[in-house]
């Protein structure tokens, strides 16, 4: 095994305990880094108290740790301030928060533009909003390679587009969206931009200000942190103008029988007890990510993607979905083998200690556009190396031998 990868793998408790495992499902959930797990345990065993409630020493220590976590996330995203970071239960919760809170500022006939390539969690909330308010929902199409086709963007936005909500990177094809072009067109139309960063964050720190978007959503479990926590970043003045989504403790200014006033962001959007230990664990994961040599990791991830794509292209009856080369996609590679169901493929691979996902990947509109009902997906992260790719290619030889 590659020495750099071996040093990385040893920092992930599950991978360290399972040397023979070829984990190629990081797009679904990345493995948790030891520092994140330690931070959760340390918090729960030395610092556990509710936040923003108590005045005793333990509660103040919990407050400080939670606040520090918000600052770490702000650094990871290059946010304008920690007040722009809203902790949520995950990317899905963050996307629904925008669909509800921003959605409440929209009127019938206003338009939200999404894309065919969205994960269901950036698709269904907008359909639900359409049902509730009568907004128009329009779709950016994809080309045969699954890449967003931005050719008709101004026309698709029309005259009343209020928000463009798109994925930064497809969870099926790995294709990166041309965020700069989308932001430029949205600005022209006076629309806000929400970026679903769920698949981008495990490939390195992000710069929301350079991206030029207004909202950014992601989940902790996809960037080496714990589950049960996610983030919505919102530009300060955009969040300040939004009504709350959930009502409850922590999000108010003052409550009387007749009227309630709202706290300022981010508390306005964090009703109830937040996922405290999980946020602290996420911050530890992001702090660790910010120490890494990302150009080197990207080069390796891309090389592995190329190796996999080249190997897959040699397999008869196999159709590769998404861009044909590794340089225009994150290292997420999905494929279809004629006549074989992805669940059967994954079962044979599982027998060889290969963890891959088969199915619709919560992206049925995209799969329909690509002409498949289901596909098999290999997703590569920083702890994978050539042995994982070779194991998969060897496994697919067995798949063809046993299933055809
Ligand atoms: N968006 C994309 C692109 C995703 O890949 C996922 C997770 N598969 C989500 C959103 C939803 O993330 P979560 O299930 O963690 O809320």
């Amino acid at each position: 095994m590659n020495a750099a990868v071996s040093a990385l793998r040893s920092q992930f408790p599950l991978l360290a305990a399972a040397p023979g495992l070829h984990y190629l499902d990081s797009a679904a959930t990345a493995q948790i880094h030891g520092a994140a797990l330690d931070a959760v345990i340390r918090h729960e065993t030395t610092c556990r108290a509710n936040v923003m409630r108590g005045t005793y020493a333990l509660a103040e220590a919990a407050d400080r740790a939670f606040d520090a976590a918000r600052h770490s996330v702000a650094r990871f995203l290059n946010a304008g301030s920690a007040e722009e970071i809203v902790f949520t239960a995950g990317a899905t919760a963050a996307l629904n928060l925008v669909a509800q809170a921003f959605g409440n500022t929209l009127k019938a006939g206003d338009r939200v533009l999404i894309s065919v390539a969205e994960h269901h969690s950036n698709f269904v909330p907008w359909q639900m909003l359409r049902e509730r308010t009568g907004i128009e929902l329009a779709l950016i199409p994809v080309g045969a390679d699954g890449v967003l086709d931005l050719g008709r963007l101004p026309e698709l936005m029309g005259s009343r587009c209020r928000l463009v909500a798109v994925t930064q990177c497809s969870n099926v094809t790995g294709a990166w969206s041309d965020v700069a072009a989308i932001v430029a067109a949205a600005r022209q139309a006076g629309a806000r931009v929400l970026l679903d960063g769920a698949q981008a964050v495990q490939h390195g720190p992000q710069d929301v200000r350079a991206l030029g978007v207004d909202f950014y959503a992601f989940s902790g479990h996809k960037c080496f942190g714990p589950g049960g926590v996610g983030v919505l970043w919102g530009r300060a003045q955009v969040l300040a103008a939004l009504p709350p989504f959930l009502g409850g403790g922590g999000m108010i200014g003052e409550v009387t029988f007749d009227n309630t006033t709202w706290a300022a962001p981010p508390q306005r959007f964090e009703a109830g007890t937040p996922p405290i230990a999980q946020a602290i664990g996420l911050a530890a994961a992001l702090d660790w990510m910010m120490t890494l040599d990302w150009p080197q990791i990207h080069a390796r991830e891309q090389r592995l993607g190329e190796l996999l794509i080249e190997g897959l292209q040699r397999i008869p009856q196999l159709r590769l979905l998404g861009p044909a080369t590794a340089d225009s996609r994150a290292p997420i590679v999905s494929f279809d083998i004629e006549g074989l169901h992805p669940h059967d493929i994954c079962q044979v691979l599982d027998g060889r200690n290969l963890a891959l996902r088969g199915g619709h990947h919560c992206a049925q509109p995209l799969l329909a556009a690509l002409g498949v009902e289901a596909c098999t997906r290999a997703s590569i992260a920083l702890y994978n190396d050539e042995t994982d790719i070779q194991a998969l290619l060897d496994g697919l030889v067995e798949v063809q031998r046993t299933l055809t």
Side-chain angles (χ1 to χ4, degrees), residues 64-74 85 87 276 279-284 286-287:
R64 279 195 300 277
F66 189 56
D67 190 50
R70 211 186 286 283
H71 279 84
S72 288
V73 178
I85 305 301
F87 283 115
I276 304 166
I280 289 165
L282 168 60
L286 301 183
D287 286 345

Side-chain angles (χ1 to χ4, degrees), residues 251-328:
M251 50 72 76
I252 53 93
E254 193 188 4
V255 181
T256 64
F257 183 68
D258 293 322
N259 192 38
T260 293
T261 58
W262 315 133
Q267 281 77 23
R268 185 185 301 167
F269 305 105
E270 292 181 350
T273 300
I276 304 166
Q278 293 88 337
I280 289 165
L282 168 60
L286 301 183
D287 286 345
W288 169 72
M289 284 182 76
M290 285 186 275
T291 66
L292 301 177
D293 180 347
W294 284 100
Q296 192 190 67
I297 293 170
H298 285 153
R300 188 171 62 239
E301 286 182 343
Q302 193 169 325
R303 202 170 58 245
L304 295 181
E306 269 159 26
L307 205 61
L308 178 56
I309 288 174
E310 281 163 23
L312 292 176
Q313 280 167 336
R314 286 197 295 270
I315 297 178
Q317 320 295 335
L318 184 144
R319 178 182 159 209
L320 188 70
L321 304 177
T325 57
D327 54 356
S328 51

